Amino acid sequence: MKKLILLMTFACFGTSYAQTLDELKALQQEKKDSVAAIQSRVNAIQAQIDAMPGWRLGAFGTIGGSVSEFSNWYAQGAPNNASGNIGFTFNAYANLIEDKFFWRNAMTTNLNWVKLDDKDNPNDSGSFKPTTDVFNITSLYGRNITSKIAASALMEYRTTIINNFNDPGYLDLGVGFTWTPIDNLIVVVHPLNYNFVFSDSGDIFESSLGAKIMADYTRSIGAVNFKSNLSMFQSYKSADLSNLTWTNSFSYTLWKNFGVGFDFGLRDSKQEALNYEINTLGNANATFDTIDNDLQTFWTLGLSYKF
């Protein structure tokens, strides 16, 4: 009799536990469905807000850095050294979207410094030196022809700001058309564009008339922010005067406005390659035909902050 009572007790307890667990899971699923429905309504309202005419403002950036120190680390060439690097990127936009026209403005900055202090070398400099130096601003104005196509005018300025400010500096001014196939993506095609180049090395850098193509995709989805920008200039005078820049920024918010960020970029400029070969490497006989125009790249990984 005792064994029977004990067995019935365990059976009742197991049944009660199973029923309670199933009830909790059902309640949990019900709450999840409710949250999904609420979020769907919130997203629909946000889409209506985004479609309203007016200004759209936003900014996000990435900060990365590290420091290290070695003492008597004989496996490396400089056994006693202190090193460090720090870098940051900043992306901001201010877009005015109206029914008949738009005015889109953007700024991208990527700066990086590195230091290597060899303590056994009295002539070694222990100061931070710039390694990545990118500054770019664009301003695009358009009058809508259709809901997807507009007549537009573009101003884009690109240079370095830590070293050799405006040497070289590039200013593009042009007119043409802008295509907006989907939200947050703009494609600019300007067959009439003049690329002004400012530099003290007048024999290498040259301004010219050409075509400008730019594509930009900037979007925030919950905790994710990303921006991709492709800017191309094709000179009508010579392919040696053309250039291309593709920059990408990605950030993921983990806590409040802080998260992780990753930035990378590619650039191709034969004028800059020739200038480096002559004025930095000292090869005075270098020409556009003899240089190796290697692809320029950079990347930054670190903490991010969403403004």
Side-chain angles (χ1 to χ4, degrees), residues 64-70 76 80-87 111-119 124-132:
S66 67
V67 293
S68 64
E69 184 169 350
F70 290 86
Q76 60 187 13
N80 301 288
N81 72 77
S83 64
N85 70 80
I86 185 172
L111 306 175
N112 209 317
W113 294 263
V114 66
K115 178 183 80 168
L116 176 60
D117 182 13
D118 186 351
K119 298 180 180 180
D124 185 42
S125 174
S127 60
F128 280 89
K129 298 179 180 179
T131 55
T132 304

Side-chain angles (χ1 to χ4, degrees), residues 218-233:
T218 304
R219 190 173 182 184
S220 296
I221 306 176
V224 178
N225 298 275
F226 56 90
K227 176 183 178 67
S228 182
N229 181 275
L230 174 66
S231 179
M232 302 171 57
F233 171 73

Side-chain angles (χ1 to χ4, degrees), residues 9-27:
T9 301
F10 277 118
C12 292
F13 177 77
T15 303
S16 175
Y17 175 77
Q19 290 177 346
T20 303
L21 181 60
D22 290 339
E23 290 173 356
L24 288 175
K25 287 184 177 180
L27 181 60

